[in-house]
């Protein structure tokens, strides 16, 4: 007891090494990689995306994100979110979007030759699809012509050189290989241009006009005819590139959903933070990314408050079920090495849904209520006759106190919100107990919390990149043999592009799940690409599910460590649902047994009055001591006969009360009233 009273809250490095408690964090990988947890996390991710896409579809056009695609505007920022992160105080969303939309419309009019009537996204996309199909056929035609021209030139030169001149033959072979390789690069560049809308002047001059579409040296009439067709085909390719640019601009003008924009931002932010921790060891960059993530939430609540409320509520609803289930599984595994199934964990989180859902909301609501009261009291400053100024000065102390409370709650909430779900899962308590425990542990052991969070973050980043590398190698291992087999089949475009490159673009370590261009595929190839898209999406989702599972599992471990430091609770102390059910059943059985015992006792006791009324005596109210005046039958219940000697000898010794009770019962058996 004296140890706890004298213990200081100051940072002590020796406390961390005592018992090596922090080494329990290194079980986070094995805890998070459980298939049942990954499935729960994946289900939560899917529901979050469904809810986000639904919110995006209901978001009005004026509230969507306008992106500065291809740096079409001189603003320099990608969108208003990035502009706000760079300058939170001086970025007005209406002015920013108005300027960006003006630049986009101006560029669209230039590309459309100032014909604004057909600048809608639907009409531009329809025209682009038609031009795209024709352009692919044009490239295929010219690639075939150029390949044939190179092969014919090689055969003719080889025949002239003679087969005996091996050096000349090798030189011609190398020249042919080089020309075919350059032709392949030219085609791939032009194909990318009609997909992305980016064609530089150098690419047009060297690839389009010199390698793909060129004039053959035929007769004058054929050259004139061919030159006309050459210009038509070149303009066809350039028009397709132009419509691809217009399509991206029209899409940017119509805006991006807020959920999609935030998903892209936080995905890049998370990856950059993990990379800075593992590969760069740049803690300054880690701090900047964390601050940017918090500022992004501030941006959402400031400029899109209604959307922020709906998104936060949907987020809490989803993770109250699936996050609470993961925490429950982690709690039993850590404390008692018990493994429960996902259905049992989901039942627990469903029963505790209200506590999971409201625990993070209550501190936020308290801050909002205090802020509202502070705003209402500030209205007193508007009173006339200098009364308002005086009241403002007098009540400033109360306002500062409110500011202190708000700041305290916000700081402790940010540090301890990740302990609320583990507290409910471990203790089986309600939201108030979860808030109390998380706040008290943060206040009692802030340095421990910081140390454990740092260790868990670094270790988690390493584990995340390992899982990502595993998934990437697995995809490449599968794609390689399939691509080699697909090389024997022609693709929808031309032979230079392998069919696998179309239906399954090559993944990278940073982009596990690249997009598929379905416009370049046939019907059967589109179906194959769709199913491959779903399978690769599942792999990418499981990689992200590991990160989610690791966060909830490790937060549960950190809760156990802090509880050990603050409360000195045993590791195995965890709430068990079966114990609660058993105690309730025992209480019910005890109540039933007590009720039955009371009924038996009442049934075994003699009545308070004899069954036969005694005859009244002459002296009313005076009790007669003589037994001769009473009926013979009524005398027997009063005077009990002693038990026979033989029966007395066989009866074990007992207390007086029990003997009397047994005697009464025996008398009642054969001596009725």
């Amino acid at each position: 007891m004296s140890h706890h009273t004298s213990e200081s809250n100051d940072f002590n490095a020796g406390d961390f090494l005592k018992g090596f408690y922090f080494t329990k964090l290194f079980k986070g990988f094995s805890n998070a990689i459980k298939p049942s947890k990954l499935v729960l996390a994946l289900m939560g991710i899917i529901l979050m995306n469904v809810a986000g896409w639904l919110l995006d579809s209901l978001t009005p056009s004026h509230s969507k994100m306008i992106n500065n695609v291809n740096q079409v505007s001189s603003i320099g920022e990608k969108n208003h979110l990035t502009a706000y992160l760079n300058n939170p105080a001086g970025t007005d969303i209406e002015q920013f979007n108005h300027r960006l939309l003006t630049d986009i419309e101006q560029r669209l009019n230039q590309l459309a030759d100032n014909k604004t009537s057909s600048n809608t996204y639907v009409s531009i996309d329809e025209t682009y699809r038609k031009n795209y199909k024709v352009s692919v056929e044009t490239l295929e035609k010219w690639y075939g012509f150029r390949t044939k021209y190179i092969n014919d030139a090689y055969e003719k030169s080889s025949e002239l050189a003679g087969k005996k001149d091996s050096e000349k033959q090798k030189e011609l072979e190398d020249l042919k290989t080089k020309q075919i390789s350059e032709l392949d690069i030219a085609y791939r560049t032009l194909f990318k241009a009609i997909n992305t809308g980016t064609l530089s002047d150098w690419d047009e001059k060297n690839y389009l006009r010199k390698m793909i579409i060129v004039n053959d040296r035929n007769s004058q009439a054929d050259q004139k005819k061919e030159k006309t067709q050459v210009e038509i085909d070149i303009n066809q390719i350039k028009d397709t590139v132009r419509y691809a640019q217009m399509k991206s601009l029209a899409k940017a003008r119509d805006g991006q959903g807020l959920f999609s924009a935030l998903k892209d931002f936080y995905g890049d932010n998370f990856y950059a933070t993990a990379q800075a921790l593992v590969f760069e060891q740049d803690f300054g960059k880690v701090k900047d990314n964390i601050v940017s993530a918090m500022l992004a939430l501030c941006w959402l609540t400031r400029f899109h408050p209604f959307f922020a409320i709906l998104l936060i509520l949907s987020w809490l609803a989803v993770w109250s079920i699936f996050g609470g289930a993961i925490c429950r599984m982690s709690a039993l595994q850590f404390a008692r090495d018990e493994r429960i199934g996902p259905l049992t964990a989901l039942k627990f989180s469903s029963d505790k849904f209200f506590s999971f859902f409201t625990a993070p909301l209550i501190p936020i609501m308290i801050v909002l209520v205090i802020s509202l009261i502070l705003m209402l009291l500030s209205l007193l400053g508007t009173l006339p006759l200098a009364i308002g100024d005086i009241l403002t000065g007098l009540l400033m102390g109360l306002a500062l106190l409110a500011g202190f409370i708000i700041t305290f709650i916000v700081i402790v909430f940010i540090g301890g919100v990740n302990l609320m779900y583990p507290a409910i899962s471990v203790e089986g308590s309600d939201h108030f107990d979860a808030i109390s425990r998380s706040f008290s542990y943060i206040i009692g052991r802030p340095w421990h919390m910081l140390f454990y969070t740092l260790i868990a973050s670094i270790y988690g980043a390493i584990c995340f990149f390992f899982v990502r590398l595993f998934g990437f190698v697995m995809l490449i291992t599968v794609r390689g043999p399939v691509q080699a087999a697909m090389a024997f089949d022609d693709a929808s475009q031309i032979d230079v592009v392998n069919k696998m490159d179309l239906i399954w673009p090559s993944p990278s370590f940073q982009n596990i799940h690249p997009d598929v261009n379905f416009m370049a595929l046939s019907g059967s190839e589109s179906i194959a690409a769709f199913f491959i898209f779903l399978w690769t999406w599942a792999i990418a989702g499981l990689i992200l599910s590991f990160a989610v599972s690791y966060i909830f599992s490790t937060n549960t471990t950190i809760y156990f460590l802090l509880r050990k430091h603050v409360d000195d609770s045993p590791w195995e102390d965890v709430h068990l649902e079966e114990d609660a059910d058993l105690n309730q059943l025992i209480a019910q059985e005890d109540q039933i047994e007590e009720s039955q015992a009371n009924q038996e006792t009442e049934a075994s006791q003699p009545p308070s009055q004899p069954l036969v009324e005694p005859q009244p005596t002459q002296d009313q109210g005076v009790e007669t001591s003589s037994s001769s005046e009473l009926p013979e039958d009524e005398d027997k219940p009063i005077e009990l006969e002693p038990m026979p000697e033989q029966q007395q000898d066989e009866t074990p010794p007992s207390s007086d009360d029990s003997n009397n009770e047994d005697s009464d019962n025996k008398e009642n058996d054969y001596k009725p009233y």
Side-chain angles (χ1 to χ4, degrees), residues 118-414:
S118 61
N119 279 358
T120 62
Y121 178 80
V122 176
S123 61
I124 293 174
D125 182 64
E126 183 179 357
T127 306
Y128 168 69
R129 288 177 179 272
K130 294 179 181 179
N131 281 269
Y132 181 88
K133 185 177 181 180
V134 176
S135 296
V136 170
E137 294 175 354
T138 301
L139 288 176
E140 181 179 2
K141 177 187 67 175
W142 282 103
Y143 181 84
F145 289 165
R146 293 298 298 157
T147 304
K148 184 177 182 302
Y149 177 81
I150 293 174
N151 289 329
D152 291 344
Y154 167 75
E155 293 293 340
K156 185 181 296 186
S157 301
S158 177
E159 185 178 351
L160 292 175
K163 296 183 179 180
K164 294 183 179 181
D165 193 350
S166 58
E167 294 184 0
K168 185 64 175 180
Q169 291 291 340
K170 187 177 183 305
E171 182 180 349
L172 292 174
E173 183 72 24
D174 293 341
L175 179 61
K176 173 190 171 183
T177 304
K178 179 181 178 182
Q179 290 177 345
I180 294 294
S181 177
E182 291 177 348
L183 187 64
D184 292 347
I185 295 175
Y187 171 80
R188 293 178 184 274
T189 303
L190 295 176
F191 178 74
K192 181 180 179 181
I194 64 176
N195 281 276
T196 61
T198 55
L199 180 64
S200 64
D201 295 337
W202 193 92
D203 293 339
E204 178 183 351
K205 178 181 178 181
N206 293 275
Y207 289 153
L208 183 59
R209 294 183 178 272
K210 289 186 177 181
M211 293 187 181
I212 297 295
I213 304 178
V214 296
N215 290 326
D216 282 336
R217 294 176 175 83
N218 298 327
S219 62
Q220 295 294 330
D222 292 341
Q223 287 186 19
K224 184 177 180 180
K225 181 180 178 181
E226 186 176 335
K227 184 176 182 181
T228 303
Q229 186 62 41
V230 164
E231 293 300 327
I232 293 175
D233 292 342
I234 289 176
N235 290 332
Q236 174 65 44
I237 301 297
K238 293 174 65 176
D239 285 343
T240 306
V241 173
R242 179 167 58 89
Y243 276 105
Q245 294 178 3
M246 294 176 62
K247 180 182 177 181
S248 62
L249 290 173
K251 185 177 181 180
R253 178 193 58 191
D254 294 343
Q256 183 185 14
L258 296 178
F259 174 79
S260 299
L262 289 174
K263 184 179 67 173
D264 294 341
F265 169 79
Y266 278 109
D268 296 339
N269 183 278
F270 177 80
Y271 184 86
T273 303
Q275 187 177 19
L277 273 175
V278 177
F279 300 110
E280 301 174 6
Q281 291 84 42
D282 188 352
F283 292 98
K285 187 176 181 180
V286 173
K287 181 206 68 172
D288 294 339
N289 290 334
I290 294 175
V291 172
S292 297
M294 294 181 179
L295 287 177
L297 289 178
C298 296
W299 171 84
L300 183 65
T301 56
R302 175 181 173 183
F303 296 103
H304 307 281
F306 183 70
F307 184 90
I309 293 173
L310 294 179
L311 184 62
I312 291 174
L313 292 179
S314 62
W315 184 89
L316 287 176
V318 170
W319 295 117
S320 294
I321 298 294
F322 297 99
I326 295 174
C327 289
R328 178 61 179 173
M329 297 173 71
S330 301
L332 291 176
Q333 184 178 356
F334 181 91
R336 304 171 65 89
D337 199 20
E338 294 183 6
R339 290 169 175 80
I340 60 175
L343 295 181
T344 305
L346 286 175
K347 182 181 181 301
F348 175 86
S349 60
S350 300
D351 295 339
K352 296 289 183 179
F353 174 79
F354 183 75
S355 298
F356 282 118
F357 186 79
T358 55
L361 287 179
I362 291 177
I364 298 176
M365 296 301 298
I366 293 175
V367 171
L368 294 178
V369 169
I370 296 176
S371 300
L372 181 61
I373 295 174
L374 187 60
M375 291 175 60
L376 294 176
L377 291 178
S378 300
L379 295 177
L380 297 176
T382 61
L383 295 176
L385 301 177
I387 298 177
D389 297 336
I390 297 175
L391 290 176
T392 300
L394 292 176
L395 296 177
M396 185 54 64
L398 185 61
L400 293 175
L401 178 61
F404 171 81
I405 296 175
I406 292 175
T407 305
F408 176 80
I409 293 177
V410 169
I411 293 176
V412 180
F413 174 76
I414 293 175

Side-chain angles (χ1 to χ4, degrees), residues 555-583:
N555 285 335
T556 305
T557 303
I558 293 176
Y559 175 83
F560 274 104
L561 299 180
L562 292 177
R563 191 184 70 165
K564 183 69 174 178
H565 285 292
V566 177
D567 299 335
D568 198 20
S569 300
W571 298 114
E572 64 275 7
D573 188 5
V574 65
H575 171 74
L576 298 177
E577 286 292 311
E578 53 269 22
D579 288 351
D581 296 338
L582 181 61
N583 293 334

Side-chain angles (χ1 to χ4, degrees), residues 16-26 451-452 455 561:
F16 296 121
L17 300 177
K18 183 180 179 180
F20 297 101
Y21 292 158
F22 70 91
T23 58
K24 297 181 181 294
L25 295 172
F26 297 135
F451 176 77
Y452 292 146
I455 294 296
L561 299 180

